[in-house]
Amino acid sequence: MTTSTKDVGVLNTLIATLLDSVEGYQKSAGDIANQTLADKFNARARERQSAVTKLQSAVAAAGGNPEDDGTLLGGAHRAFQSLREAVTGRDDKAIVAEIERGEDYLKAKFETALAEVDLSPTARTAVDDAWQSVRAGHDEMSALKHSMGG
């Protein structure tokens, strides 16, 4: 597998997972009763969309076709989240806990990508830049969950 093929595969996996994150934040912003949290979720969604755009540019630069849809797992995750919401209603604490769970998943995906030793310098820079958003979002949602007693 060439470096550019490897780059495209790694970056597209991260793009799909980030797209799930954008959608999750947007949906949660619409479902949560607390307007301050809704604003925070919408801001995080915009930040993640910016990270997606940068990763898509890196895929194109590597000669690949950038991912523009979420993951199949993300679809299953969204379906589960919808079912959970139907049962629990608009419970802010449950929504924050679900977001934090998604952040844990996203963080693990990025840690795996960061461990790749044969990414090109361009791909590595793109992953590192997106990692800043992911790490900040993870830490923020983890702290928020714990502050709510979760």
Side-chain angles (χ1 to χ4, degrees):
M1 181 182 298
T2 66
T3 298
S4 65
T5 303
K6 175 84 168 197
D7 288 354
V8 169
V10 169
L11 295 173
N12 272 336
T13 296
L14 296 177
I15 290 167
T17 309
L18 279 168
L19 286 168
D20 288 342
S21 173
V22 169
E23 185 176 317
Y25 273 114
Q26 289 170 337
K27 178 158 182 17
S28 295
D31 290 344
I32 202 156
N34 182 315
Q35 187 59 46
T36 301
L37 292 179
D39 292 345
K40 189 177 299 230
F41 295 166
N42 281 322
R44 186 65 61 194
R46 287 189 299 275
E47 181 182 308
R48 292 287 165 81
Q49 186 60 55
S50 174
V52 165
T53 301
K54 290 174 186 170
L55 289 173
Q56 288 170 328
S57 293
V59 169
N65 186 18
E67 180 64 57
D68 63 1
D69 199 8
T71 64
L72 180 59
L73 179 60
H77 178 252
R78 287 187 296 274
F80 175 78
Q81 187 174 5
S82 294
L83 174 63
R84 183 176 182 173
E85 289 166 5
V87 174
T88 62
R90 293 169 51 114
D91 177 350
D92 289 3
K93 190 173 172 180
I95 291 170
V96 169
E98 190 63 25
I99 284 179
E100 201 254 351
R101 192 175 73 76
E103 286 293 324
D104 285 345
Y105 176 79
L106 187 59
K107 182 180 175 204
K109 283 286 193 188
F110 268 83
E111 287 172 342
T112 298
L114 289 164
E116 292 289 344
V117 292
D118 54 353
L119 289 178
S120 72
T122 302
R124 171 81 49 206
T125 298
V127 172
D128 286 343
D129 288 349
W131 170 238
Q132 301 309 313
S133 169
V134 169
R135 190 176 60 210
H138 175 272
D139 293 350
E140 179 183 35
M141 291 306 126
S142 180
L144 180 59
K145 178 185 166 192
H146 295 296
S147 75
M148 295 175 84

